[in-house]
PDB file of all heavy atoms in Angstrom:
ATOM      1  N   ARG H  31     146.311  35.149 -55.139  1.00  0.00           N
ATOM      2  CA  ARG H  31     147.281  34.389 -55.913  1.00  0.00           C
ATOM      3  C   ARG H  31     146.879  32.925 -55.979  1.00  0.00           C
ATOM      4  O   ARG H  31     147.009  32.284 -57.015  1.00  0.00           O
ATOM      5  CB  ARG H  31     148.663  34.517 -55.282  1.00  0.00           C
ATOM      6  CG  ARG H  31     149.305  35.855 -55.552  1.00  0.00           C
ATOM      7  CD  ARG H  31     150.587  35.992 -54.772  1.00  0.00           C
ATOM      8  NE  ARG H  31     151.547  34.943 -55.127  1.00  0.00           N
ATOM      9  CZ  ARG H  31     152.573  34.613 -54.341  1.00  0.00           C
ATOM     10  NH1 ARG H  31     152.753  35.208 -53.177  1.00  0.00           N
ATOM     11  NH2 ARG H  31     153.404  33.682 -54.710  1.00  0.00           N
ATOM     12  N   ASP H  35     146.007  30.964 -59.250  1.00  0.00           N
ATOM     13  CA  ASP H  35     146.706  29.737 -59.605  1.00  0.00           C
ATOM     14  C   ASP H  35     145.714  28.631 -59.928  1.00  0.00           C
ATOM     15  O   ASP H  35     145.841  27.926 -60.929  1.00  0.00           O
ATOM     16  CB  ASP H  35     147.618  29.326 -58.454  1.00  0.00           C
ATOM     17  CG  ASP H  35     148.560  28.215 -58.867  1.00  0.00           C
ATOM     18  OD1 ASP H  35     149.070  28.277 -60.002  1.00  0.00           O
ATOM     19  OD2 ASP H  35     148.757  27.278 -58.074  1.00  0.00           O
ATOM     20  N   ALA H  38     143.922  29.314 -63.121  1.00  0.00           N
ATOM     21  CA  ALA H  38     144.777  29.039 -64.278  1.00  0.00           C
ATOM     22  C   ALA H  38     144.825  27.547 -64.556  1.00  0.00           C
ATOM     23  O   ALA H  38     144.736  27.112 -65.705  1.00  0.00           O
ATOM     24  CB  ALA H  38     146.183  29.579 -64.024  1.00  0.00           C
ATOM     25  N   ILE H  53     140.305  18.072 -81.556  1.00  0.00           N
ATOM     26  CA  ILE H  53     141.148  17.514 -82.614  1.00  0.00           C
ATOM     27  C   ILE H  53     140.761  16.063 -82.855  1.00  0.00           C
ATOM     28  O   ILE H  53     140.575  15.614 -83.985  1.00  0.00           O
ATOM     29  CB  ILE H  53     142.629  17.605 -82.218  1.00  0.00           C
ATOM     30  CG1 ILE H  53     143.079  19.060 -82.187  1.00  0.00           C
ATOM     31  CG2 ILE H  53     143.485  16.837 -83.188  1.00  0.00           C
ATOM     32  CD1 ILE H  53     144.479  19.235 -81.687  1.00  0.00           C
ATOM     33  N   TYR H  59     133.657  12.900 -86.102  1.00  0.00           N
ATOM     34  CA  TYR H  59     132.714  13.589 -86.981  1.00  0.00           C
ATOM     35  C   TYR H  59     132.692  12.954 -88.368  1.00  0.00           C
ATOM     36  O   TYR H  59     131.623  12.722 -88.937  1.00  0.00           O
ATOM     37  CB  TYR H  59     133.073  15.070 -87.096  1.00  0.00           C
ATOM     38  CG  TYR H  59     132.052  15.807 -87.900  1.00  0.00           C
ATOM     39  CD1 TYR H  59     130.832  16.164 -87.333  1.00  0.00           C
ATOM     40  CD2 TYR H  59     132.267  16.093 -89.234  1.00  0.00           C
ATOM     41  CE1 TYR H  59     129.867  16.794 -88.078  1.00  0.00           C
ATOM     42  CE2 TYR H  59     131.300  16.721 -89.986  1.00  0.00           C
ATOM     43  CZ  TYR H  59     130.106  17.073 -89.407  1.00  0.00           C
ATOM     44  OH  TYR H  59     129.142  17.688 -90.142  1.00  0.00           O
ATOM     45  N   LEU H 479     166.627   9.667-104.015  1.00  0.00           N
ATOM     46  CA  LEU H 479     167.203  11.004-103.946  1.00  0.00           C
ATOM     47  C   LEU H 479     167.292  11.476-102.507  1.00  0.00           C
ATOM     48  O   LEU H 479     168.329  11.966-102.058  1.00  0.00           O
ATOM     49  CB  LEU H 479     166.356  11.988-104.762  1.00  0.00           C
ATOM     50  CG  LEU H 479     166.530  11.930-106.275  1.00  0.00           C
ATOM     51  CD1 LEU H 479     165.668  12.984-106.946  1.00  0.00           C
ATOM     52  CD2 LEU H 479     167.987  12.137-106.648  1.00  0.00           C
ATOM     53  N   GLY H 483     170.730  11.318-100.429  1.00  0.00           N
ATOM     54  CA  GLY H 483     171.130  12.696-100.137  1.00  0.00           C
ATOM     55  C   GLY H 483     171.350  12.883 -98.644  1.00  0.00           C
ATOM     56  O   GLY H 483     172.304  13.528 -98.214  1.00  0.00           O
ATOM     57  N   MET H 506     162.679  23.432-100.044  1.00  0.00           N
ATOM     58  CA  MET H 506     161.733  22.844-101.012  1.00  0.00           C
ATOM     59  C   MET H 506     160.377  22.601-100.373  1.00  0.00           C
ATOM     60  O   MET H 506     159.355  22.671-101.028  1.00  0.00           O
ATOM     61  CB  MET H 506     162.281  21.525-101.523  1.00  0.00           C
ATOM     62  CG  MET H 506     163.144  21.662-102.722  1.00  0.00           C
ATOM     63  SD  MET H 506     163.102  20.146-103.677  1.00  0.00           S
ATOM     64  CE  MET H 506     164.380  19.212-102.925  1.00  0.00           C
ATOM     65  N   ALA H 508     158.952  24.400 -98.451  1.00  0.00           N
ATOM     66  CA  ALA H 508     158.199  25.644 -98.327  1.00  0.00           C
ATOM     67  C   ALA H 508     157.390  25.954 -99.577  1.00  0.00           C
ATOM     68  O   ALA H 508     156.463  26.748 -99.525  1.00  0.00           O
ATOM     69  CB  ALA H 508     159.153  26.789 -98.032  1.00  0.00           C
ATOM     70  N   VAL H 512     150.373  24.100-104.386  1.00  0.00           N
ATOM     71  CA  VAL H 512     149.654  24.664-105.535  1.00  0.00           C
ATOM     72  C   VAL H 512     150.658  25.208-106.548  1.00  0.00           C
ATOM     73  O   VAL H 512     150.450  25.140-107.760  1.00  0.00           O
ATOM     74  CB  VAL H 512     148.649  25.738-105.079  1.00  0.00           C
ATOM     75  CG1 VAL H 512     149.327  26.948-104.510  1.00  0.00           C
ATOM     76  CG2 VAL H 512     147.741  26.146-106.208  1.00  0.00           C
ATOM     77  N   PHE H 516     151.031  23.854-110.272  1.00  0.00           N
ATOM     78  CA  PHE H 516     150.964  24.767-111.415  1.00  0.00           C
ATOM     79  C   PHE H 516     152.162  24.565-112.331  1.00  0.00           C
ATOM     80  O   PHE H 516     152.017  24.438-113.547  1.00  0.00           O
ATOM     81  CB  PHE H 516     150.887  26.213-110.903  1.00  0.00           C
ATOM     82  CG  PHE H 516     151.457  27.234-111.828  1.00  0.00           C
ATOM     83  CD1 PHE H 516     150.893  27.464-113.064  1.00  0.00           C
ATOM     84  CD2 PHE H 516     152.577  27.961-111.472  1.00  0.00           C
ATOM     85  CE1 PHE H 516     151.439  28.401-113.927  1.00  0.00           C
ATOM     86  CE2 PHE H 516     153.118  28.897-112.322  1.00  0.00           C
ATOM     87  CZ  PHE H 516     152.549  29.104-113.561  1.00  0.00           C
ATOM     88  N   LEU H 520     151.409  23.235-115.987  1.00  0.00           N
ATOM     89  CA  LEU H 520     151.470  24.210-117.081  1.00  0.00           C
ATOM     90  C   LEU H 520     152.872  24.415-117.641  1.00  0.00           C
ATOM     91  O   LEU H 520     153.029  24.905-118.746  1.00  0.00           O
ATOM     92  CB  LEU H 520     150.915  25.558-116.619  1.00  0.00           C
ATOM     93  CG  LEU H 520     149.404  25.647-116.493  1.00  0.00           C
ATOM     94  CD1 LEU H 520     148.979  27.058-116.235  1.00  0.00           C
ATOM     95  CD2 LEU H 520     148.720  25.117-117.736  1.00  0.00           C
ATOM     96  N   LYS H 528     157.666  17.542-125.022  1.00  0.00           N
ATOM     97  CA  LYS H 528     158.639  17.837-126.073  1.00  0.00           C
ATOM     98  C   LYS H 528     159.956  17.136-125.833  1.00  0.00           C
ATOM     99  O   LYS H 528     160.589  16.664-126.765  1.00  0.00           O
ATOM    100  CB  LYS H 528     158.897  19.355-126.105  1.00  0.00           C
ATOM    101  CG  LYS H 528     157.920  20.106-126.968  1.00  0.00           C
ATOM    102  CD  LYS H 528     158.351  21.553-127.068  1.00  0.00           C
ATOM    103  CE  LYS H 528     157.155  22.464-127.115  1.00  0.00           C
ATOM    104  NZ  LYS H 528     157.429  23.776-126.560  1.00  0.00           N
ATOM    105  N   ILE H 544     178.061   9.530-113.450  1.00  0.00           N
ATOM    106  CA  ILE H 544     178.527   9.534-112.066  1.00  0.00           C
ATOM    107  C   ILE H 544     179.473   8.365-111.815  1.00  0.00           C
ATOM    108  O   ILE H 544     180.528   8.516-111.191  1.00  0.00           O
ATOM    109  CB  ILE H 544     177.335   9.480-111.101  1.00  0.00           C
ATOM    110  CG1 ILE H 544     176.546  10.779-111.212  1.00  0.00           C
ATOM    111  CG2 ILE H 544     177.795   9.284-109.669  1.00  0.00           C
ATOM    112  CD1 ILE H 544     175.172  10.689-110.633  1.00  0.00           C
ATOM    113  N   THR H 587     166.339  15.841-130.043  1.00  0.00           N
ATOM    114  CA  THR H 587     165.837  15.296-131.309  1.00  0.00           C
ATOM    115  C   THR H 587     166.697  14.131-131.781  1.00  0.00           C
ATOM    116  O   THR H 587     166.176  13.140-132.300  1.00  0.00           O
ATOM    117  CB  THR H 587     165.821  16.380-132.397  1.00  0.00           C
ATOM    118  OG1 THR H 587     166.672  17.433-131.999  1.00  0.00           O
ATOM    119  CG2 THR H 587     164.433  16.909-132.598  1.00  0.00           C
ATOM    120  N   TRP H 657     183.660   3.604 -95.245  1.00  0.00           N
ATOM    121  CA  TRP H 657     182.617   2.928 -96.017  1.00  0.00           C
ATOM    122  C   TRP H 657     182.015   1.784 -95.204  1.00  0.00           C
ATOM    123  O   TRP H 657     180.808   1.612 -95.119  1.00  0.00           O
ATOM    124  CB  TRP H 657     183.228   2.431 -97.327  1.00  0.00           C
ATOM    125  CG  TRP H 657     182.333   1.534 -98.103  1.00  0.00           C
ATOM    126  CD1 TRP H 657     182.555   0.233 -98.414  1.00  0.00           C
ATOM    127  CD2 TRP H 657     181.064   1.884 -98.660  1.00  0.00           C
ATOM    128  NE1 TRP H 657     181.510  -0.259 -99.125  1.00  0.00           N
ATOM    129  CE2 TRP H 657     180.580   0.734 -99.293  1.00  0.00           C
ATOM    130  CE3 TRP H 657     180.307   3.049 -98.678  1.00  0.00           C
ATOM    131  CZ2 TRP H 657     179.367   0.709 -99.940  1.00  0.00           C
ATOM    132  CZ3 TRP H 657     179.097   3.017 -99.325  1.00  0.00           C
ATOM    133  CH2 TRP H 657     178.634   1.873 -99.950  1.00  0.00           C
ATOM    134  N   MET H 692     146.006  19.381-110.381  1.00  0.00           N
ATOM    135  CA  MET H 692     146.411  20.259-111.470  1.00  0.00           C
ATOM    136  C   MET H 692     147.222  19.544-112.539  1.00  0.00           C
ATOM    137  O   MET H 692     147.222  19.954-113.685  1.00  0.00           O
ATOM    138  CB  MET H 692     147.224  21.428-110.908  1.00  0.00           C
ATOM    139  CG  MET H 692     146.391  22.338-110.025  1.00  0.00           C
ATOM    140  SD  MET H 692     147.389  23.355-108.935  1.00  0.00           S
ATOM    141  CE  MET H 692     147.570  24.824-109.899  1.00  0.00           C
ATOM    142  N   ILE H 715     137.860  14.393-104.130  1.00  0.00           N
ATOM    143  CA  ILE H 715     137.103  15.204-103.167  1.00  0.00           C
ATOM    144  C   ILE H 715     137.069  16.650-103.651  1.00  0.00           C
ATOM    145  O   ILE H 715     136.016  17.286-103.698  1.00  0.00           O
ATOM    146  CB  ILE H 715     137.745  15.129-101.769  1.00  0.00           C
ATOM    147  CG1 ILE H 715     137.691  13.707-101.228  1.00  0.00           C
ATOM    148  CG2 ILE H 715     137.040  16.083-100.810  1.00  0.00           C
ATOM    149  CD1 ILE H 715     138.406  13.527 -99.916  1.00  0.00           C
ATOM    150  N   TYR H 729     127.992  12.936-101.356  1.00  0.00           N
ATOM    151  CA  TYR H 729     128.547  13.720-100.250  1.00  0.00           C
ATOM    152  C   TYR H 729     129.146  12.805 -99.196  1.00  0.00           C
ATOM    153  O   TYR H 729     130.290  12.968 -98.772  1.00  0.00           O
ATOM    154  CB  TYR H 729     127.413  14.560 -99.668  1.00  0.00           C
ATOM    155  CG  TYR H 729     127.736  15.405 -98.460  1.00  0.00           C
ATOM    156  CD1 TYR H 729     128.350  16.648 -98.609  1.00  0.00           C
ATOM    157  CD2 TYR H 729     127.391  14.974 -97.188  1.00  0.00           C
ATOM    158  CE1 TYR H 729     128.604  17.428 -97.509  1.00  0.00           C
ATOM    159  CE2 TYR H 729     127.642  15.755 -96.080  1.00  0.00           C
ATOM    160  CZ  TYR H 729     128.255  16.988 -96.243  1.00  0.00           C
ATOM    161  OH  TYR H 729     128.514  17.760 -95.148  1.00  0.00           O
ATOM    162  N   PHE H 733     133.037  12.019 -97.982  1.00  0.00           N
ATOM    163  CA  PHE H 733     133.474  11.972 -96.588  1.00  0.00           C
ATOM    164  C   PHE H 733     134.197  10.658 -96.317  1.00  0.00           C
ATOM    165  O   PHE H 733     135.183  10.619 -95.592  1.00  0.00           O
ATOM    166  CB  PHE H 733     132.273  12.104 -95.640  1.00  0.00           C
ATOM    167  CG  PHE H 733     132.064  13.506 -95.167  1.00  0.00           C
ATOM    168  CD1 PHE H 733     131.385  14.416 -95.939  1.00  0.00           C
ATOM    169  CD2 PHE H 733     132.583  13.919 -93.956  1.00  0.00           C
ATOM    170  CE1 PHE H 733     131.213  15.712 -95.520  1.00  0.00           C
ATOM    171  CE2 PHE H 733     132.418  15.230 -93.528  1.00  0.00           C
ATOM    172  CZ  PHE H 733     131.727  16.118 -94.310  1.00  0.00           C
ATOM    173  N   ASN H 747     151.498   7.192 -89.990  1.00  0.00           N
ATOM    174  CA  ASN H 747     152.219   8.120 -89.122  1.00  0.00           C
ATOM    175  C   ASN H 747     152.432   7.544 -87.739  1.00  0.00           C
ATOM    176  O   ASN H 747     153.454   7.815 -87.110  1.00  0.00           O
ATOM    177  CB  ASN H 747     151.454   9.438 -89.009  1.00  0.00           C
ATOM    178  CG  ASN H 747     151.604  10.268 -90.256  1.00  0.00           C
ATOM    179  OD1 ASN H 747     152.604  10.155 -90.950  1.00  0.00           O
ATOM    180  ND2 ASN H 747     150.628  11.085 -90.553  1.00  0.00           N
ATOM    181  N   THR H 748     151.458   6.788 -87.260  1.00  0.00           N
ATOM    182  CA  THR H 748     151.624   6.191 -85.932  1.00  0.00           C
ATOM    183  C   THR H 748     152.773   5.210 -85.938  1.00  0.00           C
ATOM    184  O   THR H 748     153.614   5.213 -85.029  1.00  0.00           O
ATOM    185  CB  THR H 748     150.330   5.487 -85.497  1.00  0.00           C
ATOM    186  OG1 THR H 748     149.260   6.406 -85.633  1.00  0.00           O
ATOM    187  CG2 THR H 748     150.415   5.024 -84.068  1.00  0.00           C
TER     188      THR H 748
ATOM    189  N   SER S  10     184.753  -1.830-103.238  1.00  0.00           N
ATOM    190  CA  SER S  10     184.710  -1.968-101.785  1.00  0.00           C
ATOM    191  C   SER S  10     185.087  -0.669-101.082  1.00  0.00           C
ATOM    192  O   SER S  10     184.754  -0.479 -99.912  1.00  0.00           O
ATOM    193  CB  SER S  10     185.617  -3.105-101.335  1.00  0.00           C
ATOM    194  OG  SER S  10     186.954  -2.764-101.643  1.00  0.00           O
ATOM    195  N   SER S  11     185.752   0.218-101.798  1.00  0.00           N
ATOM    196  CA  SER S  11     186.102   1.489-101.144  1.00  0.00           C
ATOM    197  C   SER S  11     184.857   2.344-100.931  1.00  0.00           C
ATOM    198  O   SER S  11     184.821   3.226-100.082  1.00  0.00           O
ATOM    199  CB  SER S  11     187.099   2.264-101.994  1.00  0.00           C
ATOM    200  OG  SER S  11     186.422   2.839-103.098  1.00  0.00           O
ATOM    201  N   PHE S  15     179.491   4.640-104.261  1.00  0.00           N
ATOM    202  CA  PHE S  15     178.287   4.902-103.504  1.00  0.00           C
ATOM    203  C   PHE S  15     178.279   6.336-102.969  1.00  0.00           C
ATOM    204  O   PHE S  15     177.258   7.024-103.013  1.00  0.00           O
ATOM    205  CB  PHE S  15     178.178   3.900-102.356  1.00  0.00           C
ATOM    206  CG  PHE S  15     176.900   4.006-101.605  1.00  0.00           C
ATOM    207  CD1 PHE S  15     175.711   3.563-102.165  1.00  0.00           C
ATOM    208  CD2 PHE S  15     176.871   4.590-100.352  1.00  0.00           C
ATOM    209  CE1 PHE S  15     174.531   3.679-101.479  1.00  0.00           C
ATOM    210  CE2 PHE S  15     175.679   4.718 -99.666  1.00  0.00           C
ATOM    211  CZ  PHE S  15     174.508   4.262-100.224  1.00  0.00           C
ATOM    212  N   ALA S  21     175.428  12.723-105.640  1.00  0.00           N
ATOM    213  CA  ALA S  21     174.618  13.099-106.794  1.00  0.00           C
ATOM    214  C   ALA S  21     173.180  13.374-106.375  1.00  0.00           C
ATOM    215  O   ALA S  21     172.532  14.291-106.892  1.00  0.00           O
ATOM    216  CB  ALA S  21     174.657  11.993-107.835  1.00  0.00           C
ATOM    217  N   ALA S  22     172.694  12.596-105.393  1.00  0.00           N
ATOM    218  CA  ALA S  22     171.330  12.812-104.926  1.00  0.00           C
ATOM    219  C   ALA S  22     171.187  14.204-104.335  1.00  0.00           C
ATOM    220  O   ALA S  22     170.227  14.930-104.626  1.00  0.00           O
ATOM    221  CB  ALA S  22     170.955  11.750-103.897  1.00  0.00           C
ATOM    222  N   VAL S  23     172.167  14.588-103.519  1.00  0.00           N
ATOM    223  CA  VAL S  23     172.121  15.933-102.933  1.00  0.00           C
ATOM    224  C   VAL S  23     172.193  16.970-104.045  1.00  0.00           C
ATOM    225  O   VAL S  23     171.409  17.924-104.083  1.00  0.00           O
ATOM    226  CB  VAL S  23     173.289  16.142-101.952  1.00  0.00           C
ATOM    227  CG1 VAL S  23     173.297  17.579-101.468  1.00  0.00           C
ATOM    228  CG2 VAL S  23     173.183  15.191-100.800  1.00  0.00           C
ATOM    229  N   VAL S  30     165.821  22.609-106.444  1.00  0.00           N
ATOM    230  CA  VAL S  30     165.409  23.805-105.707  1.00  0.00           C
ATOM    231  C   VAL S  30     165.806  25.045-106.488  1.00  0.00           C
ATOM    232  O   VAL S  30     164.999  25.949-106.728  1.00  0.00           O
ATOM    233  CB  VAL S  30     166.096  23.875-104.325  1.00  0.00           C
ATOM    234  CG1 VAL S  30     165.574  25.053-103.542  1.00  0.00           C
ATOM    235  CG2 VAL S  30     165.893  22.611-103.571  1.00  0.00           C
ATOM    236  N   GLU S  69     161.983  27.999-130.991  1.00  0.00           N
ATOM    237  CA  GLU S  69     162.242  26.556-130.885  1.00  0.00           C
ATOM    238  C   GLU S  69     162.456  25.963-132.260  1.00  0.00           C
ATOM    239  O   GLU S  69     162.121  26.564-133.283  1.00  0.00           O
ATOM    240  CB  GLU S  69     161.079  25.853-130.173  1.00  0.00           C
ATOM    241  CG  GLU S  69     159.805  25.866-130.981  1.00  0.00           C
ATOM    242  CD  GLU S  69     158.780  24.875-130.474  1.00  0.00           C
ATOM    243  OE1 GLU S  69     158.764  24.627-129.259  1.00  0.00           O
ATOM    244  OE2 GLU S  69     158.014  24.357-131.297  1.00  0.00           O
ATOM    245  N   MET S  75     164.002  18.449-139.513  1.00  0.00           N
ATOM    246  CA  MET S  75     165.384  18.174-139.877  1.00  0.00           C
ATOM    247  C   MET S  75     165.435  17.475-141.230  1.00  0.00           C
ATOM    248  O   MET S  75     164.687  16.527-141.481  1.00  0.00           O
ATOM    249  CB  MET S  75     166.043  17.273-138.828  1.00  0.00           C
ATOM    250  CG  MET S  75     166.643  18.020-137.677  1.00  0.00           C
ATOM    251  SD  MET S  75     165.417  18.814-136.660  1.00  0.00           S
ATOM    252  CE  MET S  75     164.751  17.414-135.828  1.00  0.00           C
ATOM    253  N   ASN S 340     150.109  12.881 -85.333  1.00  0.00           N
ATOM    254  CA  ASN S 340     149.453  12.285 -86.483  1.00  0.00           C
ATOM    255  C   ASN S 340     148.649  13.301 -87.249  1.00  0.00           C
ATOM    256  O   ASN S 340     148.602  13.299 -88.466  1.00  0.00           O
ATOM    257  CB  ASN S 340     148.463  11.230 -86.004  1.00  0.00           C
ATOM    258  CG  ASN S 340     149.110   9.890 -85.996  1.00  0.00           C
ATOM    259  OD1 ASN S 340     150.186   9.747 -86.555  1.00  0.00           O
ATOM    260  ND2 ASN S 340     148.479   8.944 -85.378  1.00  0.00           N
ATOM    261  N   LEU S 341     147.987  14.125 -86.491  1.00  0.00           N
ATOM    262  CA  LEU S 341     147.085  15.085 -87.096  1.00  0.00           C
ATOM    263  C   LEU S 341     147.839  16.046 -87.999  1.00  0.00           C
ATOM    264  O   LEU S 341     147.312  16.528 -88.990  1.00  0.00           O
ATOM    265  CB  LEU S 341     146.360  15.847 -86.006  1.00  0.00           C
ATOM    266  CG  LEU S 341     144.912  16.000 -86.355  1.00  0.00           C
ATOM    267  CD1 LEU S 341     144.253  14.664 -86.338  1.00  0.00           C
ATOM    268  CD2 LEU S 341     144.258  16.921 -85.412  1.00  0.00           C
ATOM    269  N   VAL S 351     137.207  18.748 -95.927  1.00  0.00           N
ATOM    270  CA  VAL S 351     135.954  17.997 -95.869  1.00  0.00           C
ATOM    271  C   VAL S 351     135.300  18.195 -94.511  1.00  0.00           C
ATOM    272  O   VAL S 351     134.099  18.460 -94.405  1.00  0.00           O
ATOM    273  CB  VAL S 351     136.243  16.502 -96.129  1.00  0.00           C
ATOM    274  CG1 VAL S 351     135.061  15.660 -95.760  1.00  0.00           C
ATOM    275  CG2 VAL S 351     136.600  16.287 -97.570  1.00  0.00           C
ATOM    276  N   GLY S 355     131.692  20.015 -93.733  1.00  0.00           N
ATOM    277  CA  GLY S 355     130.595  19.313 -93.065  1.00  0.00           C
ATOM    278  C   GLY S 355     130.272  19.911 -91.715  1.00  0.00           C
ATOM    279  O   GLY S 355     129.105  20.151 -91.392  1.00  0.00           O
ATOM    280  N   TYR S 359     128.153  23.429 -92.784  1.00  0.00           N
ATOM    281  CA  TYR S 359     126.783  22.930 -92.761  1.00  0.00           C
ATOM    282  C   TYR S 359     126.216  22.827 -91.348  1.00  0.00           C
ATOM    283  O   TYR S 359     125.114  23.285 -91.087  1.00  0.00           O
ATOM    284  CB  TYR S 359     126.700  21.575 -93.475  1.00  0.00           C
ATOM    285  CG  TYR S 359     126.835  21.679 -94.973  1.00  0.00           C
ATOM    286  CD1 TYR S 359     127.670  20.846 -95.682  1.00  0.00           C
ATOM    287  CD2 TYR S 359     126.126  22.655 -95.675  1.00  0.00           C
ATOM    288  CE1 TYR S 359     127.800  20.948 -97.055  1.00  0.00           C
ATOM    289  CE2 TYR S 359     126.248  22.768 -97.039  1.00  0.00           C
ATOM    290  CZ  TYR S 359     127.083  21.916 -97.725  1.00  0.00           C
ATOM    291  OH  TYR S 359     127.206  22.017 -99.083  1.00  0.00           O
ATOM    292  N   GLY S 422     158.965  31.104 -54.155  1.00  0.00           N
ATOM    293  CA  GLY S 422     157.626  31.294 -53.598  1.00  0.00           C
ATOM    294  C   GLY S 422     156.553  31.580 -54.617  1.00  0.00           C
ATOM    295  O   GLY S 422     155.412  31.841 -54.260  1.00  0.00           O
ATOM    296  N   PHE S 426     151.207  28.932 -61.428  1.00  0.00           N
ATOM    297  CA  PHE S 426     150.753  29.812 -62.506  1.00  0.00           C
ATOM    298  C   PHE S 426     151.712  30.978 -62.682  1.00  0.00           C
ATOM    299  O   PHE S 426     152.046  31.364 -63.799  1.00  0.00           O
ATOM    300  CB  PHE S 426     149.342  30.314 -62.197  1.00  0.00           C
ATOM    301  CG  PHE S 426     148.889  31.391 -63.131  1.00  0.00           C
ATOM    302  CD1 PHE S 426     148.693  31.119 -64.471  1.00  0.00           C
ATOM    303  CD2 PHE S 426     148.670  32.694 -62.681  1.00  0.00           C
ATOM    304  CE1 PHE S 426     148.284  32.104 -65.344  1.00  0.00           C
ATOM    305  CE2 PHE S 426     148.263  33.677 -63.550  1.00  0.00           C
ATOM    306  CZ  PHE S 426     148.062  33.381 -64.881  1.00  0.00           C
ATOM    307  N   GLU S 427     152.144  31.534 -61.545  1.00  0.00           N
ATOM    308  CA  GLU S 427     153.042  32.699 -61.637  1.00  0.00           C
ATOM    309  C   GLU S 427     154.358  32.333 -62.312  1.00  0.00           C
ATOM    310  O   GLU S 427     154.857  33.072 -63.168  1.00  0.00           O
ATOM    311  CB  GLU S 427     153.295  33.276 -60.253  1.00  0.00           C
ATOM    312  CG  GLU S 427     152.150  34.143 -59.780  1.00  0.00           C
ATOM    313  CD  GLU S 427     152.213  34.420 -58.294  1.00  0.00           C
ATOM    314  OE1 GLU S 427     152.978  33.746 -57.578  1.00  0.00           O
ATOM    315  OE2 GLU S 427     151.468  35.304 -57.846  1.00  0.00           O
ATOM    316  N   GLY S 497     145.337  29.739-113.584  1.00  0.00           N
ATOM    317  CA  GLY S 497     146.137  28.836-114.391  1.00  0.00           C
ATOM    318  C   GLY S 497     145.334  27.714-115.024  1.00  0.00           C
ATOM    319  O   GLY S 497     145.705  27.214-116.069  1.00  0.00           O
ATOM    320  N   PHE S 498     144.255  27.309-114.376  1.00  0.00           N
ATOM    321  CA  PHE S 498     143.584  26.102-114.860  1.00  0.00           C
ATOM    322  C   PHE S 498     142.127  26.303-115.237  1.00  0.00           C
ATOM    323  O   PHE S 498     141.546  25.458-115.868  1.00  0.00           O
ATOM    324  CB  PHE S 498     143.699  24.997-113.806  1.00  0.00           C
ATOM    325  CG  PHE S 498     145.079  24.445-113.734  1.00  0.00           C
ATOM    326  CD1 PHE S 498     146.057  25.107-113.042  1.00  0.00           C
ATOM    327  CD2 PHE S 498     145.413  23.293-114.408  1.00  0.00           C
ATOM    328  CE1 PHE S 498     147.349  24.624-113.000  1.00  0.00           C
ATOM    329  CE2 PHE S 498     146.699  22.799-114.376  1.00  0.00           C
ATOM    330  CZ  PHE S 498     147.670  23.472-113.666  1.00  0.00           C
ATOM    331  N   VAL S 521     155.989  32.838 -98.368  1.00  0.00           N
ATOM    332  CA  VAL S 521     156.131  31.599 -97.603  1.00  0.00           C
ATOM    333  C   VAL S 521     157.586  31.367 -97.213  1.00  0.00           C
ATOM    334  O   VAL S 521     157.893  31.010 -96.071  1.00  0.00           O
ATOM    335  CB  VAL S 521     155.574  30.414 -98.418  1.00  0.00           C
ATOM    336  CG1 VAL S 521     155.857  29.113 -97.702  1.00  0.00           C
ATOM    337  CG2 VAL S 521     154.090  30.571 -98.625  1.00  0.00           C
ATOM    338  N   ASN S 525     159.160  31.113 -93.463  1.00  0.00           N
ATOM    339  CA  ASN S 525     159.934  29.962 -93.000  1.00  0.00           C
ATOM    340  C   ASN S 525     161.300  30.372 -92.504  1.00  0.00           C
ATOM    341  O   ASN S 525     161.791  29.862 -91.506  1.00  0.00           O
ATOM    342  CB  ASN S 525     160.074  28.950 -94.132  1.00  0.00           C
ATOM    343  CG  ASN S 525     158.887  28.033 -94.195  1.00  0.00           C
ATOM    344  OD1 ASN S 525     158.574  27.361 -93.222  1.00  0.00           O
ATOM    345  ND2 ASN S 525     158.205  28.035 -95.311  1.00  0.00           N
TER     346      ASN S 525
END
Side-chain angles (χ1 to χ4, degrees):
Chain H
R31 284 173 60 199
D35 191 41
I53 292 175
Y59 185 78
L479 283 182
M506 271 207 273
V512 67
F516 152 64
L520 285 188
K528 273 187 215 151
I544 293 163
T587 19
W657 171 243
M692 294 161 93
I715 296 175
Y729 177 82
F733 264 83
N747 284 332
T748 308
Chain S
S10 65
S11 75
F15 186 73
V23 174
V30 184
E69 67 164 31
M75 273 67 74
N340 266 348
L341 223 67
V351 166
Y359 288 133
F426 171 66
E427 280 165 346
F498 287 80
V521 174
N525 275 303

